[in-house]
Amino acid sequence: MSVVNSSFHLQIPVYLAKTLAQQLYVLQFPVRPRAHNYDESTILKTKIRPRSGQIEMELGLHTRGATYDKSKGEQIALNVDGAFRDKRDSEDNFYKSNVMDKLVLTSTKALSDCNRYAVGVVRDSGLHLTPVASVFALRPSLAYLDQADKCRKKERKDSTGEEDSDEEDKVKKVTVRFEKPETERSRKAKEKSYGFLLRQIKEEPWVEVSYNKRGSDKSEFESRKLYCMYEDEMVDQFSLSSKDYLNQLVPPTEEVKMLTPGLPAHLMSKSGLISLDLHNHVKTVMINAGVASFTELMEVLDRGNTAEFMLSVLKVLQQVAVLVQGNWVVKSDLLYPKDSKSETGVSNELIQRGRDFVLYMFTKNPVLRRAEVADTIRLPGNDVKEILSGVSTYCSARAVWEFLLPTDTAFVKKYPDVFQRQQMIWQSRSEQLAHVFTEKQIKQEDSKPGTSRKSQLLHARTSSTEDQSSSNQNQSFPSKQRKSNTDFS
């Protein structure tokens, strides 16, 4: 094979434009075909949250087109704005006409680090580069469905005087707590929590901006800022070696910093995940997924399905997750760090115990009633609902909570040793929880006036004797002698 000497085919000057260096944003529309862009659409409103990095655009829909379903549009408008929308001012309605006449696009960050990206334009055989501040992906928002649900509940309350509720309302005890002085450590942990970041985003006001279509006078004027204003100024940076120059041009990825998971604007890219080691890769996926089957996890990891690799994944999984109904659920201490508190002010250590008890109950039965756990873990209603919502869905027809995924019997049969090991872990954990909750209940009973400890113990011993003579199918914790629970059918 002959070696061809390399030579320069074209040499052009490269200019760095900084006029829009901190203000240039790239907008992507990943679910919109390139041939059908939004260039000719009517932009009704555009607003941004500069600090949080969010963009929202309202686009007018062509309601008289041949592809527009008018009856469906009328139904959506009726659901969102309610049956009395005609009696209100049109400005108070989400849709100004009697049909769904607009589409809302919301943004998410497509890249966590844009330091390597620039927008380039060519003029007079010269390349002008402007650094990109951020890249956003805009997709249609379905928030109007939530508004339709709220409208339905409000109308039902106005007509019948009853409110929709996922569960039966119960009389709840109100506990008054005096919070301890906040330490620097707890404050920093609180600032990193999902709820704190979400509140910060919601508290930032929207700023309305003007949208100028491509080709307009204003757009053409702003486009000129993409060119370097000082083309005569020379910057000599080619005194570096070839290796150092390439490292400055494309810095090697030494560490991938993951932004807060769960927020749409702080998702980690696939390339960033792949660059992580296996432990952090699996941990990050499980924290974001919450609940996943082993098959789904292997598809997301996308690193091959060899037997050796699958065993490595299983080894890591048992460090960051627990097995429930043949599926993997992220451990409670990863979701609720000990040094933080919930939004209701409850210590995360108590939330961890409550969630572990809920998961243990789901290992026994994929269907659960809230009353089965609420009386035992004794947490505020909002915390109980948050725990249940993270691992199950509510079935209003039967008034029960169902585990998110169906039982994965195939995994249990393929890896019986992993299943047995997880059962032993749950056995030990359930006994710990039984001891903690029993002590807590005794202390609460002792605090009641007119009740002696001796009489309580006598009553407990008598009740225990009676319970042993009857079948107790709803027992929350297993006995010391571990029973077989391998039947998942």
Side-chain angles (χ1 to χ4, degrees):
M1 183 176 64
S2 61
V3 179
V4 180
N5 294 328
S6 60
S7 60
F8 291 103
H9 294 280
L10 180 64
Q11 185 174 356
I12 61 173
V14 178
Y15 305 100
L16 180 62
K18 297 184 178 180
T19 308
L20 298 177
Q22 303 297 325
Q23 308 170 34
L24 185 60
Y25 299 91
V26 176
L27 304 184
Q28 299 176 343
F29 303 92
V31 297
R32 188 74 171 179
R34 184 177 180 182
H36 299 83
N37 52 47
Y38 294 113
D39 289 347
E40 301 302 323
S41 300
T42 302
I43 309 299
L44 303 176
K45 184 188 296 184
T46 305
K47 52 186 180 180
I48 65 171
R49 279 175 170 154
R51 191 173 68 252
S52 305
Q54 287 187 326
I55 299 177
E56 188 174 287
M57 299 174 64
E58 291 186 7
L59 283 70
L61 296 179
H62 185 44
T63 58
R64 297 185 179 181
T67 58
Y68 185 84
D69 189 341
K70 189 174 181 180
S71 61
K72 190 65 176 178
E74 291 175 347
Q75 184 62 47
I76 292 176
L78 182 64
N79 293 340
V80 173
D81 293 324
F84 304 101
R85 65 184 320 279
D86 295 333
K87 298 182 180 180
R88 296 193 298 267
D89 189 359
S90 61
E91 295 298 325
D92 297 331
N93 293 325
F94 186 75
Y95 297 117
K96 308 308 176 187
S97 61
N98 293 326
V99 296
M100 181 181 180
D101 53 12
K102 68 179 179 181
L103 178 68
V104 179
L105 302 179
T106 55
S107 68
T108 57
K109 277 190 178 180
L111 295 172
S112 59
D113 184 10
C114 298
N115 292 331
R116 304 181 187 179
Y117 297 89
V119 171
V121 291
V122 177
R123 183 179 69 173
D124 298 334
S125 300
L127 177 62
H128 298 253
L129 300 178
T130 302
V132 172
S134 189
V135 180
F136 294 107
L138 276 79
R139 296 178 174 86
S141 171
L142 302 179
Y144 64 88
L145 296 177
D146 297 331
Q147 189 167 340
D149 188 50
K150 291 179 182 178
C151 182
R152 178 184 62 82
K153 291 180 179 180
K154 184 177 182 301
E155 288 183 351
R156 178 171 180 175
K157 181 182 178 181
D158 293 341
S159 59
T160 63
E162 298 179 357
E163 293 187 18
D164 284 349
S165 59
D166 289 342
E167 307 157 37
E168 297 178 359
D169 293 335
K170 296 175 63 178
V171 178
K172 299 178 182 179
K173 295 181 180 179
V174 178
T175 304
V176 179
R177 289 187 177 89
F178 297 93
E179 289 194 6
K180 298 179 181 179
E182 190 176 33
T183 62
E184 183 70 17
R185 186 178 180 182
S186 62
R187 184 183 63 81
K188 289 182 178 180
K190 181 180 178 181
E191 290 176 355
K192 293 180 181 179
S193 65
Y194 171 76
F196 181 82
L197 293 175
L198 191 61
R199 283 195 299 272
Q200 274 195 325
I201 292 175
K202 290 183 177 181
E203 287 173 1
E204 183 182 1
W206 286 102
V207 178
E208 288 198 23
V209 294
S210 300
Y211 179 86
N212 299 280
K213 287 189 175 182
R214 186 172 63 176
S216 63
D217 294 339
K218 183 66 174 177
S219 176
E220 292 295 333
F221 177 78
E222 292 294 326
S223 299
R224 295 173 189 172
K225 297 179 182 180
L226 294 174
Y227 300 108
C228 181
M229 299 176 62
Y230 307 101
E231 297 183 5
D232 296 334
E233 183 178 349
M234 299 292 294
V235 178
D236 186 11
Q237 296 212 357
F238 291 94
S239 58
L240 303 173
S241 64
S242 301
K243 184 178 180 180
D244 292 338
Y245 171 70
L246 288 175
N247 285 337
Q248 286 200 6
L249 186 65
V250 184
T253 303
E254 297 179 356
E255 181 180 359
V256 178
K257 294 182 179 179
M258 190 192 74
L259 300 178
T260 305
L263 293 177
H266 297 78
L267 295 178
M268 198 173 190
S269 63
K270 186 175 181 180
S271 60
L273 283 171
I274 294 176
S275 65
L276 297 173
D277 59 89
L278 182 60
H279 182 277
N280 287 322
H281 193 172
V282 174
K283 179 180 176 182
T284 303
V285 172
M286 286 306 305
I287 289 176
N288 282 274
V291 181
S293 66
F294 186 68
T295 304
E296 292 173 337
L297 183 62
M298 294 300 298
E299 292 177 356
V300 173
L301 293 178
D302 195 20
R303 294 191 180 188
N305 290 326
T306 62
E308 183 179 357
F309 177 70
M310 293 172 77
L311 290 176
S312 299
V313 173
L314 280 174
K315 184 178 180 181
V316 175
L317 265 177
Q318 295 177 73
Q319 300 174 18
V320 300
V322 291
L323 194 67
V324 178
Q325 294 295 328
N327 300 284
W328 291 97
V329 183
V330 64
K331 286 188 174 181
S332 300
D333 57 348
L334 295 180
L335 287 183
Y336 302 97
K338 277 190 176 181
D339 297 331
S340 302
K341 294 182 179 180
S342 68
E343 292 186 0
T344 58
V346 178
S347 171
N348 273 2
E349 190 172 357
L350 300 179
I351 301 293
Q352 289 179 19
R353 294 173 186 169
R355 185 174 183 270
D356 285 348
F357 179 72
V358 171
L359 295 181
Y360 170 73
M361 295 296 288
F362 274 124
T363 63
K364 301 299 180 185
N365 194 334
V367 177
L368 183 67
R369 294 186 182 275
R370 178 169 177 168
E372 295 178 37
V373 297
D375 293 338
T376 302
I377 62 179
R378 296 180 182 274
L379 292 175
N382 290 339
D383 290 331
V384 175
K385 188 172 183 180
E386 181 182 347
I387 292 173
L388 289 170
S389 300
V391 296
S392 59
T393 55
Y394 184 70
C395 178
S396 56
R398 296 189 294 161
V400 295
W401 290 86
E402 296 179 348
F403 191 68
L404 276 178
L405 297 178
T407 303
D408 192 350
T409 54
F411 177 85
V412 175
K413 292 178 181 178
K414 188 174 182 180
Y415 302 100
D417 54 334
V418 176
F419 172 72
Q420 291 293 338
R421 192 179 302 116
Q422 288 292 310
Q423 289 292 92
M424 294 175 63
I425 292 174
W426 277 122
Q427 172 76 15
S428 175
R429 181 58 174 158
S430 66
E431 292 174 359
Q432 293 175 5
L433 293 175
H435 179 70
V436 171
F437 290 139
T438 303
E439 279 192 348
K440 185 177 179 181
Q441 187 173 5
I442 290 176
K443 288 180 181 179
Q444 290 178 348
E445 292 294 332
D446 283 344
S447 64
K448 294 181 180 180
T451 306
S452 66
R453 176 61 182 269
K454 184 176 180 180
S455 62
Q456 290 172 14
L457 293 177
L458 179 62
H459 175 70
R461 191 177 297 111
T462 305
S463 299
S464 176
T465 305
E466 294 175 353
D467 289 341
Q468 290 176 0
S469 63
S470 62
S471 61
N472 187 1
Q473 298 179 353
N474 295 325
Q475 185 177 6
S476 299
F477 295 98
S479 61
K480 295 289 183 180
Q481 297 178 351
R482 184 170 174 272
K483 297 180 181 179
S484 174
N485 291 297
T486 57
D487 186 10
F488 273 82
S489 59

